Amino acid sequence: MKNLRYKALALDLDGTLTDSDKKLPLKNKEALWKAMDLGVKVILISGRSVMGITGLAKELEFEKRGGIIAAFNGGKTFDYQTGALIQQLFFPKEVIAETCAIVRKYGAQPLSYTDTEIVAETDTDPYVLAECKCNSASVKKVSNLPEFLDYPIPKILGAGEHERLVKAREEFLSLYSHICDSFFAESYFLELAPKGVAKDKALARICEYLNITREEIMACGDGFNDIPMLEYAGLGIAMKNAYPETLEKADCIAPFTNNECGVAWAVEEYILNM
């Protein structure tokens, strides 16, 4: 491992590691196994919940090969093999009701999570169902989301049309920027998170845990919320299908999309062939 230029590989999932059907292509899997055999620590870092990431961790054989899960954009980060908790942050309970009200005010749907389900006030909204697909989970419909959320939650997700969510974000931050952060995972997913949640901050904690430097991390992504991670890593690679804003911030742009296994290209180019 001491001869590796990149000792850790941080991977966004949707639009990056997985294809448009949310499946893990064999070519990506095999490239990652080769990197892991060299000693590279793979980090699955996503806005998805823990339940939405563990299936991929199992496919990549994290149980025996090791690996790190950074769910909720790093809000809950842990070593999959040992169970060691690296970071866990919770959404401020006192602002849950008003946050949901702000999201609804702009015609979007607030949702959150149990250990096994998506929780929302509708089970038919297409944006809510898109989040269910990302997490391979069903939706639990409740009449009043804030009342149901009487347990620690990692975040609230606003799901809806981008223009409306932009306005919701502005109002949310005008009230709660001292205790919360907010950013877009996709144009239709607004993350409403505890202060300090972001992919770059999660990678900083992981660097401490692994005793490596940021220059020794390579990261791949495509979304708005991947920009801090790509800028933090020693090498930030955007998939060909990334948002224009993400492409601008990347050190390198893969010549392939997520459906064409851009991650496998990045691993072969910058880890296996170095």
Side-chain angles (χ1 to χ4, degrees):
M1 185 166 175
K2 64 181 179 181
N3 295 321
L4 288 171
R5 181 175 181 182
Y6 301 110
K7 297 180 179 179
L9 173 60
L11 298 170
D12 171 60
L13 303 185
D14 301 296
T16 301
L17 178 63
T18 63
D19 62 22
S20 57
D21 292 322
K22 311 299 182 185
K23 303 297 184 183
L24 176 57
L26 178 61
K27 190 174 181 180
N28 282 351
K29 188 189 302 185
E30 290 178 341
L32 291 176
W33 280 340
K34 290 177 183 177
M36 294 161 86
D37 287 344
L38 292 176
V40 175
K41 185 69 71 173
V42 172
I43 303 159
L44 301 182
I45 184 165
S46 171
R48 289 191 190 189
S49 64
V50 174
M51 64 183 167
I53 302 178
T54 51
L56 293 170
K58 289 177 181 177
E59 276 196 74
L60 290 170
E61 301 180 353
F62 272 19
E63 295 99 330
K64 70 175 183 180
R65 296 174 181 269
I68 290 172
I69 286 180
F72 305 114
N73 294 293
K76 184 171 184 179
T77 302
F78 61 97
D79 187 313
Y80 189 86
Q81 194 175 47
T82 68
L85 188 64
I86 300 170
Q87 173 173 273
Q88 184 159 26
L89 300 172
F90 294 112
F91 192 85
K93 185 176 178 64
E94 66 272 18
V95 303
I96 290 176
E98 183 59 27
T99 300
C100 291
I102 291 170
V103 173
R104 292 193 212 98
K105 176 180 175 180
Y106 293 98
Q109 293 292 334
L111 62 86
S112 196
Y113 311 82
T114 69
D115 288 341
T116 58
E117 295 175 301
I118 307 296
V119 189
E121 294 170 344
T122 172
D123 56 6
T124 59
D125 181 86
Y127 295 110
V128 172
L129 295 178
E131 177 66 355
C132 290
K133 183 178 180 180
C134 286
N135 288 276
S136 301
S138 59
V139 58
K140 179 180 182 65
K141 183 180 178 182
V142 298
S143 58
N144 187 300
L145 184 60
E147 287 184 4
F148 181 84
L149 299 175
D150 60 354
Y151 53 91
I153 60 169
K155 70 175 184 181
I156 292 172
L157 186 72
E161 295 179 10
H162 183 68
E163 295 75 13
R164 296 182 179 187
L165 291 174
V166 168
K167 295 177 181 178
R169 181 176 185 269
E170 290 174 355
E171 182 169 341
F172 175 76
L173 289 176
S174 72
L175 294 171
Y176 302 125
S177 62
H178 60 297
I179 54 173
C180 294
D181 281 323
S182 179
F183 45 86
F184 284 94
E186 301 285 354
S187 60
Y188 46 85
F189 284 157
L190 177 64
E191 304 275 343
L192 304 161
K195 193 76 174 177
V197 168
K199 290 190 177 184
D200 59 334
K201 295 181 175 69
L203 288 188
R205 294 294 300 272
I206 292 169
C207 280
E208 293 175 7
Y209 176 75
L210 296 176
N211 193 29
I212 63 175
T213 67
R214 59 189 289 183
E215 289 77 20
E216 294 173 308
I217 289 186
M218 180 174 124
C220 298
D222 75 296
F224 297 120
N225 60 329
D226 295 322
I227 292 173
M229 172 177 77
L230 298 183
E231 292 184 316
Y232 179 86
L235 178 64
I237 302 175
M239 298 296 100
K240 186 178 178 181
N241 54 283
Y243 285 101
E245 296 89 339
T246 310
L247 293 171
E248 289 178 6
K249 299 295 185 180
D251 298 313
C252 171
I253 299 171
F256 302 105
T257 67
N258 62 312
N259 286 323
E260 298 165 333
C261 299
V263 165
W265 172 85
V267 172
E268 290 164 2
E269 186 77 10
Y270 292 103
I271 295 177
L272 302 183
N273 294 332
M274 294 293 284

